[in-house]
Amino acid sequence: MQNFANAAFSPDVIAAMTSALEAAVANLPEPVHLSHVNLLAESILRTAGAGERDPAALQRLALIELQLVRRD
């Protein structure tokens, strides 16, 4: 996972990111791999860090990014 140690988010943004991650993981086929969850989380953190606040957009972008990097 990338280094997000200096990232700081408000409670509202954390709630949006949590919602986005939960929804994105729910869209993955079983079995869900930890590496896929980590990639989704990194994408959501990066996208929220760039200013996106809409949970649906965070979810959508994370899933698109996962499709681009998946190698299974």
Side-chain angles (χ1 to χ4, degrees):
M1 183 173 265
Q2 291 185 2
N3 184 2
F4 294 101
N6 295 326
F9 298 99
S10 71
D12 289 344
V13 176
I14 293 171
M17 291 189 301
T18 301
S19 175
L21 181 60
E22 290 171 351
V25 170
N27 277 287
L28 296 178
E30 294 289 335
V32 175
H33 298 280
L34 181 59
S35 62
H36 295 162
V37 176
N38 285 338
L39 287 168
L40 291 170
E42 285 182 22
S43 175
I44 290 168
L45 282 165
R46 209 173 26 258
T47 306
E52 181 60 59
R53 299 298 184 251
D54 178 28
L58 292 168
Q59 173 197 352
R60 187 172 47 254
L61 291 168
L63 288 169
I64 290 169
E65 188 173 321
L66 180 62
Q67 287 180 333
L68 295 175
V69 297
R70 273 177 73 174
R71 302 275 189 262
D72 34 38

